[in-house]
Amino acid sequence: MRKIAPSILAADFLNLGKDVEFVNEYADIFHLDVMDGTFVPNLSFGFPVIEAIASKATKPLDVHLMIIHPEKYVERFAKVGADMISFHLEAAMDDGTNPQQVIDLIHSLGVKAGMAIDPDVPVEELFPYLDKVDFVLLMSVFAGFGGQKFIPETYERVKTVKAEIDRLGLKTLIEVDGGVDCENCDALAEAGVSLFVAGSTVFKAEDRVAIVKRLRG
Ligand code: DX5
Ligand code: ZN
């Protein structure tokens, strides 16, 4: 079954409470993008905003860390209410963090762990971790900004990862993030995606309820 995770980055920050209610009522997961201005050339939001959302949220919080040294902050994100935390493999590689330790830390806090990669990282790099994480996050745009155009090579990347997950007999979920819309969601689902992050497509739509329904297929 498809799960729709609206990305709060595209929400109306002057009316965040309303957008939280929308996700509670019509979608499945809150997708929360945390950026540090170093791993990606952008800043977003952090603990106080996520804590506020958590106080109203009745759906799980999926925190997508686009930061270096994710291990330094994982515990605090768990504390403010994260149910799922993903970090970028390439961030861990660049700053000398041991990815397995980050996964273990996330799990030790009772949180689901996800490993994310940008579109230019070979998907095979994820393979050693497929049996260690609960989900993998394949970026379908380069991490850092909402509202970018979907990269079509993502379909093949999803299929390759899905084939490996099946070959290993695992239940690891595949999440896709970036430029997800009503045109690509069905092909993505067919390729093996079950978690759909959608920012602009949901929050900039005139009829958000209809869009979420459509994304569900
Ligand atoms: C990009 C973020 C995405 C972004 C998606 O770095 O990880 O979650 O908010 O936004 P859309 O759906 O507008 O591409
Ligand atoms: Zn994201």
Side-chain angles (χ1 to χ4, degrees):
M1 209 199 67
R2 302 186 198 181
K3 290 205 166 158
I4 311 303
S7 174
I8 294 298
L9 197 59
D12 176 1
F13 289 105
L14 286 179
N15 291 290
L16 196 49
K18 278 205 169 133
D19 286 354
V20 170
E21 277 166 24
F22 169 79
V23 176
N24 280 342
E25 191 162 356
Y26 297 104
D28 304 297
I29 295 169
F30 288 88
H31 184 80
L32 302 159
D33 291 304
V34 176
M35 306 180 185
D36 67 354
T38 299
F39 178 66
V40 288
N42 198 7
L43 295 164
S44 56
F45 47 77
F47 305 116
V49 173
I50 293 178
E51 197 167 18
I53 293 170
S55 73
K56 271 201 155 198
T58 57
K59 298 285 164 79
L61 267 51
D62 169 29
V63 175
H64 175 194
L65 297 180
M66 286 161 275
I67 64 174
I68 60 165
H69 287 298
E71 76 284 358
K72 288 189 187 168
Y73 301 98
V74 159
E75 195 170 346
R76 285 186 67 191
F77 283 110
K79 242 187 205 141
V80 295
D83 300 282
M84 304 160 65
I85 296 178
S86 63
F87 66 98
H88 275 257
L89 175 61
E90 58 272 38
M93 282 167 147
D94 289 353
D95 65 21
T97 310
N98 180 338
Q100 187 58 54
Q101 280 178 6
V102 186
I103 295 167
D104 292 345
L105 178 60
I106 297 172
H107 281 153
S108 74
L109 297 158
V111 174
K112 294 206 164 92
M115 183 174 275
I117 51 168
D118 257 349
D120 60 348
V121 177
V123 288
E124 290 73 17
E125 306 257 356
L126 291 175
F127 287 4
Y129 303 98
L130 289 177
D131 63 339
K132 313 281 193 298
V133 293
D134 302 281
F135 64 104
V136 288
L137 196 180
L138 298 183
M139 291 302 299
S140 37
V141 301
F142 281 87
F145 299 89
Q148 302 181 74
K149 216 173 148 300
F150 178 82
I151 299 174
E153 282 73 22
T154 308
Y155 299 121
E156 279 311 310
R157 289 167 61 78
V158 171
K159 282 182 198 162
T160 306
V161 174
K162 178 67 173 140
E164 184 65 6
I165 289 171
D166 290 348
R167 193 184 72 78
L168 296 169
L170 300 170
K171 294 217 163 13
T172 317
L173 300 177
I174 302 177
E175 180 174 47
V176 159
D177 182 8
V180 170
D181 62 22
C182 302
E183 261 77 71
N184 53 38
C185 61
D186 295 338
L188 285 170
E190 224 160 88
V193 175
S194 54
L195 307 174
F196 293 77
V197 177
S200 335
T201 295
V202 169
F203 285 115
K204 311 291 182 221
E206 244 168 57
D207 188 347
R208 298 166 167 192
V209 178
I211 289 290
V212 171
K213 236 182 159 180
R214 170 66 194 91
L215 288 172
R216 283 193 205 285

